[in-house]
Structures are given as C-alpha cells and as structure tokens.
Amino acid sequence: DAKTTQPPSMDCAEGRAANLPCNHSTISGNEYVYWYRQIHSQGPQYIIHGLKNNETNEMASLIITEDRKSSTLILPHATLRDTAVYYCIVRVAVPGYSSASKIIFGSGTRLSIRP
Amino acid sequence: DGGITQSPKYLFRKEGQNVTLSCEQNLNHDAMYWYRQDPGQGLRLIYYSQIVNDFQKGDIAEGYSVSREKKESFPLTVTSAQKNPTAFYLCASNRLAGDPEQFFGPGTRLTVL
C-alpha cells in the first residue's frame, strides 16, 4: 500500500498557484512527507520534503497540517513546464538499515497546466 | 557532472531471453534501488542495496536478479521467469543518513517481443 491518497488529476492556469493535496492519515511520528514529480518518460525528480513544519525551497512550498494527516504542495506560479505527475510519498524506514529507506510510490496526481 | 546513468534508453528483447539493464552512479552513494513502472501507474520497488555485496528484495522481486559487486554499479537482470517484463525501469540512489533525497536515473524502456 502506498499509505497516501491523492486526486488522480488536476489542472491549473498558467501563472496561478497550483495546490496539490495529499492525505496520509496513518503516518507515523517519525515519517517524513516527500514530494516528487515525473515528467513523461523521465525519472522522478525530488521536489521537497518535511516532517511537521512548513517548508519552502526554490521549487515549491509544503504545508503540513498540525495533525500531520494531510499536506499540500504549492507551486506558486505554475508554468507549462510544471506539467507532470506529482507523487506524495511517506518515507518507510527499512528495519536494520536506518540510513536508507524504501520509497513507496502511489499513482500520483497528473497536473495539467492550461496556457 | 555527478549523476546516475542507465543504458540503453530503449531495449528490445525476444521472449525467453534474459536481459541485463545497467545502472551506474558517480555520486558516491551507498544505497541503490531498482523500480518498475507500468503505463499510468506509480513506481514499484524491485530490489534495493544498502552496501556492496548486499541487497534485499523489494515488493516485486520475482523474475528479477541483481548484483552489487561495486559501489557505483547495480545491474538488474530480467530473467525469462518474469511473466510480464515489458515496462519502464528506473534506477535510483541516495546517500547515508542525513540526506533523504533519492536521485533517479533517466530510465530504460524494455520491450519484450
């Protein structure tokens, strides 16, 4: 199981903020929320991650609710190049191997940007 | 430039043949991963490796095999036992604790005829 739930598709007008929701109601206290995106036929690209505080980097902002059961990825000014499938992922720790983790991908949200 | 390379980008094989997909990284990462992606689906983990000469099965390891003889290389063999091998295969790596980002290669699209 992917442990996250995302809408299968969304669209957004170019230049507007794209807000992508994710539910992760069974998240554990030490699990992070990660976001990746995948442009068609390419490898996924890391966007951002967070534990419980809101995070921002040059690509996006991540808003995590206080109970940590859901989060929202915000692309502040969407462009056509942001058209991709966006994956919300909860990081699973591998027993005995604390330094690396399996990443379980769900189906993601297909974001379309309208000109 | 540091990164992960996978070759070739497109690969065709006849049914019943084994085929090996290459994955090389020069990022000095200890952990490496292989994923499979089918059309319209998310990624599923095949195998992963924490250190040289050690690897673990992922969620869909049947019909696949791997080796990790060198830190920078993690080849995946798709055997004839894999019932539906046609897919997009992605290799990834990450560093030790403190760096949660997983880096992905460009992928190899395998088509079995």
Side-chain angles (χ1 to χ4, degrees):
Chain A
D1 291 342
K3 297 186 66 172
T4 63
T5 304
Q6 298 176 254
S9 64
M10 294 182 63
D11 65 76
C12 176
E14 192 176 15
R16 297 288 192 137
N19 299 295
L20 291 87
C22 179
N23 287 321
H24 31 79
S25 58
T26 61
I27 191 170
S28 301
N30 59 352
E31 289 180 320
Y32 287 75
V33 179
Y34 288 76
W35 283 84
Y36 284 76
R37 73 180 182 184
Q38 187 177 24
I39 296 170
H40 183 61
S41 294
Q42 296 182 21
Q45 176 192 23
Y46 165 85
I47 301 173
I48 199 168
H49 75 282
L51 183 63
K52 54 184 178 181
N53 297 322
N54 298 338
E55 303 287 344
T56 296
N57 62 21
E58 65 278 4
M59 289 183 68
S61 295
L62 175 60
I63 308 298
I64 302 175
T65 58
E66 193 168 341
D67 63 7
R68 302 209 326 124
K69 293 186 177 181
S70 65
S71 61
T72 301
L73 178 75
I74 302 172
L75 308 177
H77 304 287
T79 71
L80 296 176
R81 288 178 294 181
D82 293 320
T83 295
V85 177
Y86 287 77
Y87 295 100
C88 169
I89 293 153
V90 168
R91 184 183 183 192
V92 177
V94 177
Y97 292 104
S98 60
S99 61
S101 302
K102 299 194 301 181
I103 292 182
I104 299 175
F105 286 81
S107 299
T109 295
R110 184 172 299 277
L111 177 66
S112 300
I113 306 299
R114 304 189 306 270
Chain B
D1 288 337
I4 301 177
T5 57
Q6 292 183 246
S7 61
K9 187 162 181 64
Y10 298 96
L11 188 58
F12 297 88
R13 281 293 182 270
K14 292 183 178 179
E15 191 173 351
Q17 289 182 333
N18 292 354
V19 59
T20 297
L21 282 58
S22 78
C23 176
E24 303 280 331
Q25 53 96 0
N26 61 1
L27 301 165
N28 200 32
H29 286 177
D30 281 293
M32 298 187 73
Y33 309 78
W34 273 105
Y35 295 89
R36 168 187 172 132
Q37 187 174 36
D38 294 285
Q41 305 295 316
L43 282 67
R44 292 184 291 168
L45 182 66
I46 305 173
Y47 267 98
Y48 59 97
S49 168
Q50 282 286 290
I51 54 175
V52 174
N53 294 322
D54 184 72
F55 46 83
Q56 304 291 328
K57 291 182 179 180
D59 300 317
I60 55 165
E62 185 176 352
Y64 300 97
S65 66
V66 293
S67 62
R68 188 83 187 278
E69 297 176 0
K70 298 186 296 182
K71 185 176 184 178
E72 60 269 23
S73 178
F74 190 41
L76 173 76
T77 296
V78 184
T79 75
S80 56
Q82 168 49 235
K83 291 180 171 45
N84 187 17
T86 295
F88 187 46
Y89 290 88
L90 286 156
C91 178
S93 71
N94 64 355
R95 295 187 296 184
L96 294 177
D99 188 354
E101 182 178 349
Q102 196 163 101
F103 294 83
F104 284 82
T108 292
R109 189 167 298 279
L110 173 66
T111 301
V112 176
L113 305 172

